[in-house]
Amino acid sequence: MKNLSIKFKLILLFILIKVVPLLLISYIAFIGIIKLDKYFSSSTKELFLENKQIISNTANKAISDSIEMLDKKSQQSIERLSFEIAKNVASFLYQRDEDILFLSDIKLNQEVLNDFYKIKQREIIVHEKYYYNEKKQRWETKKEKERIKPQERKAQLKDNEKEFNYTDPLELKRVKIPIYKEVTYFDINGKEIYKVSQIEKKLLDISQKKNTYVNSEDYFKKIKDL
């Protein structure tokens, strides 16, 4: 060490004081960067997976809620449709009860019964003959129903102009037909006195099942309990 020159000693001292700490600091910084990179990668991946899980759960919850609401809406629509059908059927049957009460309260003869039968009519829709389309796998008619096309298809109200949607109604053929296939008045023994019928024109003894519709009705026995 004594034999070394002052210049070499200064260089060696400079290396020990400046270069070695710099290399050590660089090494420590390099190790820190690697660890920081691993930390950020791990944190980013964990955050990504966490966000992905949150988004997935939110999406599944939204889909589940949407399906539940759509099912509820469909259920309500079907229930309302069923209620309307049942209500209409019940109303129709109550009207028939009213017809019976009306006929029981007036003086009947064949002419009155004929007039009553002609008045009691309802409209029905007459459709074309259907055939099954094997290619499209659905029932179709040879003649497509025409739609009634109005001159204007604009919303009449200002508030309805946005997203206005209009469906042309179908041109349907309607005819009136009698409500009853048969109206008959018989005595307490079951002998028919007045009658209007599309089934059997002759006056019969309905106390016998063989003279009733499809030979199986026993309403005459039940009438005795009224």
Side-chain angles (χ1 to χ4, degrees):
M1 193 73 175
K2 290 180 181 180
N3 296 327
L4 296 174
S5 64
I6 298 295
K7 184 179 180 181
F8 183 77
K9 287 179 180 180
L10 289 172
I11 294 170
L12 186 61
L13 186 62
F14 176 79
I15 291 172
L16 289 173
I17 295 172
K18 297 289 185 181
V19 177
V20 173
L22 184 62
L23 292 173
L24 186 60
I25 291 169
S26 300
Y27 175 74
I28 293 171
F30 178 72
I31 297 298
I33 289 170
I34 292 174
K35 288 185 177 181
L36 189 63
D37 178 64
K38 287 182 179 180
Y39 171 76
F40 277 131
S41 297
S42 176
S43 298
T44 305
K45 187 176 181 181
E46 187 177 345
L47 187 63
F48 170 76
L49 292 174
E50 187 177 346
N51 289 337
K52 183 180 178 182
Q53 186 66 31
I54 292 171
I55 293 169
S56 178
N57 291 339
T58 304
N60 290 334
K61 180 64 175 173
I63 292 169
S64 176
D65 289 345
S66 298
I67 291 172
E68 185 178 351
M69 288 304 297
L70 288 171
D71 288 345
K72 193 71 177 175
K73 190 73 175 175
S74 299
Q75 180 186 347
Q76 289 174 350
S77 298
I78 293 170
E79 286 176 353
R80 182 163 184 81
L81 181 62
S82 301
F83 172 76
E84 291 295 332
I85 292 172
K87 185 180 176 183
N88 290 336
V89 171
S91 176
F92 179 82
L93 294 176
Y94 283 131
Q95 289 171 11
R96 305 294 66 81
D97 288 343
E98 290 173 2
D99 288 345
I100 294 172
L101 292 172
F102 169 75
L103 289 174
S104 68
D105 202 35
I106 63 173
K107 190 174 181 180
L108 277 177
N109 55 49
Q110 189 61 46
E111 187 179 353
V112 170
L113 208 62
N114 289 340
D115 291 340
F116 173 83
Y117 179 82
K118 291 175 183 177
I119 290 170
K120 293 296 177 178
Q121 294 186 347
R122 282 285 183 90
E123 267 191 355
I124 64 164
I125 296 172
V126 181
H127 59 75
E128 302 288 335
K129 287 187 178 180
Y130 280 85
Y131 71 96
Y132 189 72
N133 190 324
E134 293 286 352
K135 198 172 184 179
K136 296 181 180 179
Q137 294 188 343
R138 67 180 186 185
W139 289 92
E140 293 182 346
T141 58
K142 291 182 179 179
K143 183 181 177 182
E144 288 294 328
K145 294 181 178 63
E146 296 180 1
R147 292 190 177 273
I148 303 170
K149 295 184 178 180
Q151 294 180 352
E152 293 186 5
R153 293 186 182 181
K154 294 182 180 179
Q156 296 181 358
L157 299 176
K158 183 74 176 177
D159 295 340
N160 293 342
E161 286 183 355
K162 187 177 180 182
E163 299 295 337
F164 178 70
N165 186 32
Y166 181 85
T167 302
D168 295 327
L170 290 171
E171 181 68 53
L172 300 173
K173 184 181 178 182
R174 292 178 170 85
V175 295
K176 279 190 174 183
I177 63 169
I179 291 176
Y180 300 103
K181 281 190 173 294
E182 183 176 85
V183 182
T184 180
Y185 174 71
F186 52 86
D187 61 20
I188 57 174
N189 297 315
K191 301 289 193 300
E192 291 179 336
I193 301 172
Y194 307 122
K195 183 177 184 179
V196 185
S197 176
Q198 298 178 28
I199 303 167
E200 174 60 62
K201 304 295 183 183
K202 294 179 183 178
L203 298 175
L204 303 173
D205 180 5
I206 53 91
S207 64
Q208 300 179 29
K209 277 189 178 182
K210 65 179 182 179
N211 292 329
T212 62
Y213 188 56
V214 297
N215 307 323
S216 63
E217 296 183 83
D218 59 351
Y219 56 83
F220 178 73
K221 291 180 181 179
K222 294 180 180 179
I223 285 172
K224 292 180 179 180
D225 298 331
L226 296 178

